[in-house]
Amino acid sequence: MSDDDQRDQTVPAEPAAQAPAQAAAPVGPEPEPIRFFGTTWVKHEGGYALRRAGAAIGSLLTAVAAAYLLRLAYEGLEIGNVGPFLSISVVILFAIASSIAFAKTWESFSRRPAPSSDEAALKGLKAIGFIGSLIAYFLRCLVEAPGEKLRRTEYERASAEFARRRSARTGNPAARRPKRKK
């Protein structure tokens, strides 16, 4: 028998296991996950404190390693005898970029950027000043998960709105009996 004949005679696969009619629909709004924390920030469970400590230590170690690499790059400029103007300019550029990246990153933890904002234009500057972003992340991890306060207020507002809308419902209006007249 050829391979084609064998393929034609194969037994159809067994029917898939019966899936439940419907998966349990979520009741109320779902919390938005935060990078490295998922949704553990809602009830501070599932290793939330360890994740915060790990994120803080990781961002601090990464910032220190990045500062060391920048130091090596600066020493390379010194070895290359590029002159004091360029050396000072590079240091000032990284200092300004880091401070702007710190401010924008810190600000992003407390409010969402406007759709028409210039955040996209600052991506390059934030990439240059990545040490500032890492330091902002480290400092925020000492207090809470970065962005937790913003997401918590949004989640609580959505939950309150859902509860308000849900409590206003009294059932199926079509199934109601007409009111009796006295």
Side-chain angles (χ1 to χ4, degrees), residues 78-92:
E78 290 295 317
I79 291 171
N81 280 336
V82 294
F85 177 74
L86 186 59
S87 296
I88 293 171
S89 297
V90 167
V91 170
I92 290 173

Side-chain angles (χ1 to χ4, degrees), residues 15-146:
Q18 296 289 333
Q22 273 195 5
V27 179
E30 291 290 317
E32 184 180 353
I34 298 175
R35 183 183 300 157
F36 305 125
F37 296 93
T39 56
T40 60
W41 59 268
V42 177
K43 296 181 181 175
H44 294 188
E45 60 187 15
Y48 171 80
L50 288 175
R51 289 177 191 217
R52 253 184 54 202
I57 291 170
S59 62
L60 182 64
L61 289 176
T62 307
V64 168
Y68 182 72
L69 287 176
L70 285 178
R71 179 176 171 250
L72 291 177
Y74 179 77
E75 287 177 0
L77 289 175
E78 290 295 317
I79 291 171
N81 280 336
V82 294
F85 177 74
L86 186 59
S87 296
I88 293 171
S89 297
V90 167
V91 170
I92 290 173
L93 169 80
F94 275 102
I96 291 172
S98 290
S99 64
I100 291 172
F102 177 88
K104 290 297 183 180
T105 303
W106 191 264
E107 185 179 288
S108 73
F109 296 144
S110 59
R111 69 172 182 84
R112 295 200 185 267
S116 64
S117 72
D118 57 338
E119 290 293 319
L122 291 176
K123 281 187 178 181
L125 189 64
K126 287 173 74 173
I128 292 170
F130 63 98
I131 293 177
S133 293
L134 289 169
I135 292 172
Y137 204 83
F138 165 72
L139 292 174
R140 190 58 137 191
C141 282
L142 295 178
V143 178
E144 65 180 6

Side-chain angles (χ1 to χ4, degrees), residues 158-170:
S159 296
E161 178 70 19
F162 178 79
R164 185 187 60 77
R165 282 183 289 144
R166 193 77 175 158
S167 66
R169 296 181 186 168
T170 57

